[in-house]
Amino acid sequence: VIAEAMARATATVHGFEEAFAFARSPQKSSTFCKKMSKELGYPFYACATAEDAVRNADVVFTQTPGGEWVLEEEWLRPHATIIASGSDQPTKNELPPSVMAKAKFVTDITGQCSRVGELRSAIEAGLMTADDVHAEIGQIINGEKPGRVGNELIVCDLTGTGAQDAAIGSYVMKALDGVVPGAMPPVFDANKPRLPAPKLYDYDTIKSSVAPSLELTESVEDAFSQLANGRVDVPLPMHIGIAETPEAGPGDCHIKGGYIEGAPTWTVKLANVSFYNNVKKGLPAGSGVFVVCDATNGGPKAVLHENRYLTDLRTGAAGAVAVKHLAIKDAKSVAFIGTGVIAEAMARSSATVHGFEQGYGYSRDMTKNSAFCDKMSAELGYAFTPCSSAEEAVRNADVVFTQTPGGEWVLDLKWLKPHALIVASGSDQPTKNEIPPAVMKKARVVTDITAQCLRVGELRSAVEAGVMKETDVHAQLGEVINGTKKGRTGKELIVCDLTGTGAQDAAIGSYVMKVLD
């Protein structure tokens, strides 16, 4: 299908007169050639070998699984252009490094190609460095670098970019404007099996069906445990910044996801936040979706239009897990610095694992602060007192939750009880920092994922301040859960740095699908 896409798209910009194709399956190659000849109006010839195809071509497209080299240098015409799209993982490689070293080398994104593209293989072979790349294709389009200047050999290394996805997303939305979903005739053979379309669950259905519970908290606890055991595939988060222009923004999109080994589903989550211009229009500043996929067949199973409700729940559940494993055993008082929806999620989820007797809240907006305290008192059955300062709240608390925008420090070391647990969830970007480095230095520090906290969490700020190193981290939360590292051993100060993990999203995705089934 990639070869078909390349042939069709190329026909929109260039008129080839003949084409040659090779696949290990002669039947597949023949079918491809007949189909493309009919569609594009010029002959496609099925070749018995890759060499036959390459020797006849001015332009060579390679789009194989990338498990082995697909051509040799001596097969190529001196002026050939090779467009290689088969390598998009560090384990793949279609082109011999000698071909790349000889060619004028163009990438879609050089940094990405050096990690997962053909360029990676040439670098590992010692025949190229990233500095040997002639240009990124966008630089040629913009005229910043020349493209072809003569009859030189050129390799274009295409690993696939999010810029392409953004462009086609906008194009498709324009094309679909006014189209009613489900109204078009089917384009698939009705006799062939196909994966079902994902179900769409709206916000109201999700919120009325899913609430904080011990079972939900335990599902997130298990996710941390499996993460520490190496049984969760969770990439580092992705961030897309939406620049403010007359047409858009400002805002941010945070993308996380993961798969817990043995689970029936995996999840990818988009959390769209900080669209503060929405507030002027009476709209929320945040929104989001979970895409839950079937781990058996790979198909999208459901789109959960949760508008960050599930993100808040899984964040609250992580806070509850931290309280369970890191708070002093007889902790009676809890403070919340920042009294928005995350604070509510932390309070509700913590109540599933621990019985606090007194709560304190602080927010710069005293109306919001009082409303939070009244609401939580009514829901959770113990008194919440609105405080006039963060210091007042912190000095009274055995456990302190911080969940502010992360623009400045929210507490001071001298305010803290010696045995306090700080559960910090406000820092999830390199620009954010709630906890003074001096507090981090003195505390036993536990992270959700140390590598991630080093990039975007409170740990990052302490390391940048020169008061901590990565090796100073006591444990990841999952290690404490599993017993491979001790949690609290006495009345020490503890900071739990929560940046949010794809493991949590995977856990709550599976949990919600079970509830909604």
Side-chain angles (χ1 to χ4, degrees):
V1 291
I2 299 296
E4 291 183 11
M6 292 290 188
R8 293 186 183 107
T10 303
T12 68
V13 297
H14 188 84
F16 288 112
E17 297 178 3
E18 60 180 356
F20 304 87
F22 170 74
R24 284 182 173 175
S25 166
Q27 182 179 1
K28 185 176 181 180
S29 182
S30 178
T31 300
F32 167 81
C33 288
K34 289 176 182 177
K35 186 176 185 179
M36 292 296 98
S37 295
K38 183 177 180 181
E39 280 191 30
L40 302 181
Y42 61 91
F44 278 63
Y45 301 104
C47 297
T49 65
E51 182 176 356
D52 288 343
V54 171
R55 285 190 180 277
N56 280 291
D58 300 312
V59 176
V60 180
F61 288 93
T62 66
Q63 53 279 317
T64 70
E68 60 185 52
W69 297 342
V70 298
L71 52 78
E72 294 183 17
E73 185 179 339
E74 58 264 28
W75 302 351
L76 292 159
R77 295 182 175 185
H79 61 267
T81 298
I82 305 170
I83 300 172
S85 62
S87 180
D88 59 359
Q89 292 296 320
T91 56
K92 298 181 179 181
N93 175 211
E94 292 185 311
L95 306 184
S98 61
V99 171
M100 293 184 272
K102 182 178 181 180
K104 177 181 283 186
F105 203 90
V106 177
T107 65
D108 48 10
I109 301 180
T110 299
Q112 186 168 294
C113 290
S114 66
R115 290 190 302 109
V116 300
E118 296 298 333
L119 176 60
R120 175 198 59 80
S121 300
I123 291 172
E124 288 184 358
L127 297 183
M128 289 184 69
T129 69
D131 292 337
D132 294 321
V133 172
H134 168 67
E136 292 185 341
I137 195 166
Q139 294 175 306
I140 294 172
I141 294 167
N142 294 340
E144 298 171 34
K145 297 279 185 75
R148 180 176 290 281
V149 295
N151 289 331
E152 69 271 34
L153 177 67
I154 296 178
V155 170
C156 186
D157 190 4
L158 299 181
T159 51
T161 77
Q164 295 165 252
D165 298 320
I168 200 166
S170 293
Y171 175 83
V172 169
M173 289 310 297
K174 181 178 178 182
L176 292 177
D177 187 30
V179 176
V180 178
M184 304 299 286
V187 295
F188 287 92
D189 185 341
N191 296 318
K192 291 184 178 179
R194 57 190 293 191
L195 295 172
K199 294 180 181 179
L200 173 63
Y201 290 95
D202 64 279
Y203 174 78
D204 293 330
T205 299
I206 294 166
K207 190 165 185 181
S208 63
S209 304
V210 183
S213 67
L214 179 59
E215 185 180 359
L216 189 157
T217 299
E218 288 175 342
S219 72
V220 171
E221 181 180 37
D222 181 67
F224 281 120
S225 172
Q226 300 305 327
L227 181 63
N229 286 333
R231 299 185 68 242
V232 182
D233 190 351
V234 53
L236 289 172
M238 175 178 169
H239 170 255
I240 301 173
I242 312 302
E244 185 170 16
T245 66
E247 296 80 22
D252 297 279
C253 176
H254 304 297
I255 303 169
K256 295 177 180 175
Y259 175 62
I260 301 169
E261 189 176 318
T265 64
W266 84 85
T267 297
V268 176
K269 179 198 72 180
L270 284 79
N272 305 320
V273 299
S274 304
F275 283 82
Y276 295 122
N277 285 339
N278 284 3
V279 178
K280 304 171 188 175
K281 306 169 188 175
L283 298 170
S287 60
V289 296
F290 276 55
V291 180
V292 182
C293 298
D294 191 313
T296 303
N297 57 38
K301 189 177 181 72
V303 176
L304 309 178
H305 189 198
E306 46 85 49
N307 284 335
R308 303 203 71 237
Y309 175 68
L310 296 181
T311 295
D312 297 341
L313 283 187
R314 64 81 147 142
T315 302
V321 173
V323 169
K324 177 179 176 180
H325 291 277
L326 301 174
I328 194 165
K329 190 173 182 180
D330 59 350
K332 292 180 172 58
S333 55
V334 58
F336 297 87
I337 309 303
T339 55
V341 291
I342 298 295
E344 292 184 11
M346 293 291 189
R348 294 186 183 108
S349 294
S350 293
T352 68
V353 297
H354 188 84
F356 290 110
E357 297 177 7
Q358 176 65 53
Y360 300 91
Y362 172 72
S363 170
R364 287 178 174 175
D365 183 334
M366 287 305 296
T367 301
K368 183 178 179 182
N369 191 17
S370 295
F372 166 80
C373 289
D374 290 344
K375 186 176 186 179
M376 292 298 98
S377 294
E379 281 191 28
L380 302 180
Y382 62 93
F384 277 67
T385 301
C387 297
S388 59
S389 67
E391 180 176 356
E392 180 187 354
V394 172
R395 283 191 181 277
N396 280 291
D398 299 313
V399 175
V400 180
F401 286 96
T402 65
Q403 51 279 316
T404 70
E408 60 186 53
W409 298 341
V410 299
L411 51 77
D412 192 277
L413 179 59
K414 61 179 176 286
W415 303 349
L416 292 157
K417 293 186 177 185
H419 60 264
L421 166 66
I422 304 170
V423 181
S425 62
S427 181
D428 60 359
Q429 288 299 314
T431 55
K432 298 180 179 181
N433 175 210
E434 293 184 311
I435 310 301
V439 173
M440 298 288 289
K441 179 182 180 181
K442 183 172 183 179
R444 173 173 288 183
V445 175
V446 176
T447 66
D448 49 10
I449 300 181
T450 298
Q452 186 169 297
C453 291
L454 190 62
R455 291 174 61 243
V456 300
E458 298 298 335
L459 176 62
R460 175 197 60 81
S461 299
V463 170
E464 287 184 359
V467 301
M468 284 188 71
K469 303 186 296 294
E470 181 179 359
T471 53
D472 293 325
V473 172
H474 171 67
Q476 294 189 145
L477 188 53
E479 294 176 305
V480 175
I481 293 166
N482 292 342
T484 53
K485 297 280 183 73
K486 290 186 181 296
R488 179 176 291 279
T489 57
K491 293 188 175 182
E492 68 273 29
L493 176 66
I494 297 179
V495 172
C496 186
D497 191 2
L498 299 180
T499 52
T501 76
Q504 293 163 251
D505 298 318
I508 201 168
S510 290
Y511 173 82
V512 170
M513 290 310 299
K514 180 180 176 182
V515 171
L516 293 177
D517 187 22

